[in-house]
Amino acid sequence: MNRIKTDICVIGGGSGGLSVAAGAVQMGATVVLLEGHKMGGDCLNYGCVPSKALIASAKRAHEGSRNVEFGVANVSPAVDYAATKDHVDEVIATIAPLDSVERFEGLGVKVIEEFGRFISKTEVQAGDTIIEARRFVVATGSAPFVPPIDGIDAVDVYTNENIFDLRERPEHLIVVGGGPIGMEMAQAHIRLGSKVTVIEGAKALGNDDPEMAAIVLENLRAEGIEIVEGAQAEKISGNEGEVTVHTSSGDFSGSHILMAVGRKVNTDKLDLDKGGIAHDRRGLKVGDDLRSVTNKRVYAAGDVAGGLQFTHVAGYHAGVLIRSLLFALPSKQKTAHIPWATYTEPELAHVGLTEAQAKKKYGAGLEVVRFDLHHNDRLIAERKNKGLIKVMVAKGRPVGVSIAGHSAGELIGMWAMAIANNLKMSAVANTVLPYPTIGEVNKRAAGAYFSPRLFESDTVKRVVGFVQRWIP
């Protein structure tokens, strides 16, 4: 048995773990990184990267059906589904070197390609190596949750971990789960030529602002996706090429089934109890400093920290931990400035408090500013001007923003910066943007906040009148 002593042992080679490892080793710490599966984690191999690559193919296929709106003849694309997966593989392969064992060993990280498990409060074993570290960072991420539905073991069920390996286009894809992953994959597949039915036990896109979600769902239905809400999956039956999902609202049959009902954290292999690390089904029990409440040597990053499950949150956690681990500075995570986006078309993005949350917190002190995207000149030119931005404002500062529309995931960035830095609405309103750009949506929304104060104020009108009469 080999033994290694190190400053930091990182368990998990996904976004959070890689960011901690790279930052720590380049600042002078000794680092051991353990990864028993694929470097890059879920995001690179099964999540963000392949899904956005497939969505890009689907957009290409869909755009041809709208050519006539721009004075160009419509075309019916000949979709080569296997070739779209080649595109997905090429995108992954292009990004993979940044997350590779070779790169991190080149930085000075000791990479062990084995799963790690705690054998004591101060030691982790990976294969035939025992690692003793001053600090451990658990960053093992999450995996798709497949519920124990009656009959599910008797049929082929796809998740985000294997749907991208499918080389033949599904004739009729049944998506169980109407969250972001389910909706993104539903729209991608209908645009690539599949028939698609989404079955959701509650409300589709139910974690988002209902008004904004409705804008997206209307478009998805218009493209031909059947979305059935309030339909809890109770049983699955069938065989290869024909599966049926039996629900409280009826039976739905298709050729393939994609399960997209949520995520479960990857802690089963860790032997956390042997490490004296408190945990539950949501992950490790940590404080705002991301430090284990029961083993002060242990920290968590990303999904296993029990909070928001986004790749960019894992990267943010890494920054919080670097300050704590390397400089012994007090550092705590916050969530008020964390944005997220669903990459359907139109996109759906949010940061801060929702309208309902903001009303509950601020009451009469809240002002909700709205700007309809159909007034944006660039979006009009591109015929993508359906959507809405809502800004929740308290004491002159944005406390939450929801956007449904083209490029919402890009537009939310300005508001994430504003909330992160406690900026006032005037900071956005005073920003000069090139014309015509989609980004003007944000400035116009900020302008909508100030318009009644300037154009509907009797005081302003009296002052202007006085100046015009008496000042030469």
Side-chain angles (χ1 to χ4, degrees):
M1 189 69 67
N2 302 316
R3 295 191 68 92
I4 297 175
K5 285 190 176 183
T6 189
D7 293 326
I8 300 170
C9 177
V10 178
I11 308 173
S15 177
L18 294 180
S19 296
V20 171
V25 77
Q26 291 180 94
M27 292 183 187
T30 57
V31 180
V32 173
L33 172 67
L34 311 179
E35 176 51 65
H37 192 36
K38 292 185 176 182
M39 293 285 282
D42 186 87
C43 179
L44 173 64
N45 298 289
Y46 313 117
C48 320
V49 172
S51 65
K52 302 314 165 283
L54 190 67
I55 287 170
S57 291
K59 284 183 177 179
R60 291 285 184 174
H62 178 70
E63 287 299 318
S65 67
R66 300 184 59 216
N67 283 349
V68 69
E69 299 176 14
F70 299 88
V72 180
N74 283 348
V75 295
S76 297
V79 175
D80 184 336
Y81 189 76
T84 69
K85 296 304 180 69
D86 292 338
H87 161 65
V88 170
D89 292 341
E90 289 172 9
V91 171
I92 294 173
T94 301
I95 298 173
L98 296 174
D99 295 346
S100 66
V101 172
E102 292 76 15
R103 175 173 180 258
F104 277 79
E105 287 183 337
L107 292 174
V109 177
K110 171 65 176 178
V111 181
I112 300 177
E113 296 181 78
E114 299 279 357
F115 289 108
R117 62 182 181 87
F118 284 89
I119 58 175
S120 73
K121 290 186 176 181
T122 61
E123 297 169 308
V124 163
Q125 183 173 340
D128 60 359
T129 303
I130 293 176
I131 302 96
E132 181 182 345
R134 295 180 62 251
R135 298 288 185 267
F136 295 91
V137 176
V138 178
T140 47
S142 64
F145 172 63
V146 179
I149 301 171
D150 183 25
I152 197 169
D153 293 333
V155 300
D156 290 331
V157 174
Y158 289 90
T159 68
N160 70 290
E161 287 191 343
N162 58 3
I163 189 70
F164 300 108
D165 296 331
L166 189 63
R167 303 287 294 181
E168 294 184 7
R169 182 178 62 203
E171 181 69 24
H172 184 176
L173 182 65
I174 305 292
V175 180
V176 180
I181 295 174
M183 288 308 187
E184 287 179 1
M185 289 297 96
Q187 188 175 42
H189 279 84
I190 201 164
R191 289 180 166 189
L192 292 172
S194 299
K195 182 178 180 182
V196 180
T197 299
V198 177
I199 301 169
E200 167 58 45
K203 289 286 187 181
L205 299 175
N207 290 329
D208 288 280
D209 181 293
E211 183 181 16
M212 314 305 273
I215 295 171
V216 176
L217 294 175
E218 180 184 2
N219 189 71
L220 297 181
R221 287 188 169 106
E223 290 192 19
I225 300 172
E226 180 183 14
I227 303 172
V228 184
E229 298 176 298
Q232 191 70 41
E234 299 173 342
K235 181 181 178 181
I236 297 177
S237 64
N239 46 50
E240 185 177 354
E242 184 177 351
V243 292
T244 299
V245 180
H246 307 269
T247 79
S248 54
S249 299
D251 299 342
F252 301 89
S253 297
S255 60
H256 296 72
I257 180 171
L258 171 65
M259 193 63 61
V261 295
R263 311 278 298 172
K264 63 176 182 178
V265 293
N266 295 324
T267 57
D268 293 347
K269 293 183 173 68
L270 291 171
D271 281 346
L272 294 174
D273 292 335
K274 291 183 180 179
I277 303 164
H279 60 98
D280 57 24
R281 64 180 183 83
R282 298 179 67 246
L284 278 64
K285 293 185 178 180
V286 298
D288 289 341
D289 57 359
L290 299 173
R291 196 174 198 176
S292 168
V293 297
T294 56
N295 185 341
K296 299 304 181 182
R297 289 177 178 265
V298 176
Y299 296 76
D303 293 1
V304 292
L308 297 171
Q309 295 184 338
F310 301 112
T311 296
H312 52 282
V313 172
Y316 163 64
H317 283 173
V320 173
L321 291 180
I322 288 294
R323 289 190 289 273
S324 298
L325 297 175
L326 301 186
F327 302 105
L329 296 173
S331 185
K332 295 183 178 181
Q333 68 159 331
K334 302 175 183 178
T335 58
H337 64 302
I338 300 295
W340 64 84
T342 300
Y343 298 96
T344 50
E345 191 172 9
E347 293 179 355
L348 183 58
H350 181 81
V351 64
L353 300 176
T354 65
E355 181 177 2
Q357 291 169 337
K359 284 181 176 177
K360 184 176 181 180
K361 181 173 182 178
Y362 293 102
L366 179 75
E367 186 171 348
V368 180
V369 180
R370 304 162 65 90
F371 179 74
D372 198 309
L373 270 58
H374 74 243
H375 296 301
N376 178 268
D377 293 356
R378 179 63 178 273
L379 290 174
I380 292 172
E382 298 193 9
R383 293 185 179 271
K384 294 181 178 179
N385 59 321
K386 181 178 181 180
L388 175 69
I389 177 172
K390 290 198 299 188
V391 184
M392 280 57 75
V393 185
K395 298 179 180 179
R397 289 180 166 83
V399 296
V401 181
S402 294
I403 308 175
H406 183 65
S407 295
E410 304 294 334
L411 291 169
I412 203 68
M414 179 179 285
W415 298 104
M417 182 183 69
I419 291 175
N421 293 282
N422 199 32
L423 301 180
K424 293 184 177 181
M425 291 292 285
S426 57
V428 179
N430 291 339
T431 302
V432 179
L433 298 172
Y435 173 88
T437 56
I438 299 171
E440 287 183 296
V441 165
N442 291 328
K443 183 176 175 67
R444 292 288 298 274
Y449 171 73
F450 288 105
S451 290
R453 291 163 170 77
L454 295 174
F455 304 136
E456 300 173 17
S457 169
D458 291 336
T459 300
V460 170
K461 292 177 180 178
R462 285 195 297 270
V463 170
V464 171
F466 174 81
V467 170
Q468 297 306 308
R469 286 193 302 270
W470 300 104
I471 303 300

